[in-house]
Amino acid sequence: NELYSHYQSQAIKQLYVLVLGLDVIGNPYGLVLGVTEGVEAFFYEPFQGAIQGPGEFAEGLALGCKALLGHTVGGAAGALSKITGTLGKGMAALTLDEEFKQKRREMLTKRPHDVGEAFARSGKGLVM
């Protein structure tokens, strides 16, 4: 009975997430916006370079490719981050352990000092 009431209250609290699906499937608006900005820069930069000359066209093409790749990868990484964050939050809720959830929240608010610490934390979080 206690389990039933817990999961019922969690379902009600997370209904907006399930209905909209934004956290479950990432951030679709951010992904589309990032790809749109990348595609825009991919065409705009070479065009602006072509107006100025052939050397600037090549530079504009490089800038456009860099922007397309950066915005696409950034948008996909953001969406993947949202998905994994939601999965982690859901798995933590399934534990029914308030102490674990409190430690997890504290760990998520602390910023890593360098890349090595970030990878170590992510590995530990995956195992936990």
Side-chain angles (χ1 to χ4, degrees):
N1 194 17
E2 187 175 329
L3 280 173
Y4 177 77
S5 65
H6 171 76
Y7 286 116
Q8 184 180 17
S9 67
Q10 288 299 315
I12 291 170
K13 287 179 184 177
Q14 297 297 325
L15 184 61
Y16 72 96
V17 175
L18 294 173
V19 171
L20 297 176
L22 295 177
D23 282 344
V24 175
I25 59 173
N27 183 0
Y29 177 73
L31 177 61
V32 169
L33 186 63
V35 171
T36 303
E37 288 176 3
V39 169
E40 179 183 324
F42 180 72
F43 289 107
Y44 179 76
E45 293 293 338
F47 179 74
Q48 289 297 316
I51 292 174
Q52 296 176 2
E56 287 79 8
F57 172 75
E59 186 178 333
L61 186 61
L63 288 173
C65 288
K66 180 181 174 185
L68 176 63
L69 184 64
H71 285 290
T72 303
V73 169
L80 185 62
S81 171
K82 292 271 188 186
I83 291 169
T84 57
T86 300
L87 288 174
K89 185 178 178 181
M91 297 298 274
L94 288 175
T95 64
L96 302 175
D97 185 3
E98 292 301 321
E99 183 180 338
F100 172 74
K101 289 190 274 188
Q102 179 62 30
K103 285 181 182 178
R104 183 178 183 275
R105 281 191 296 268
E106 289 172 4
M107 186 178 70
L108 289 174
T109 57
K110 294 179 184 175
R111 290 291 208 185
H113 298 303
D114 57 10
V115 175
E117 185 180 349
F119 281 118
R121 281 189 187 181
S122 64
K124 181 180 177 185
L126 180 64
V127 170
M128 295 301 289

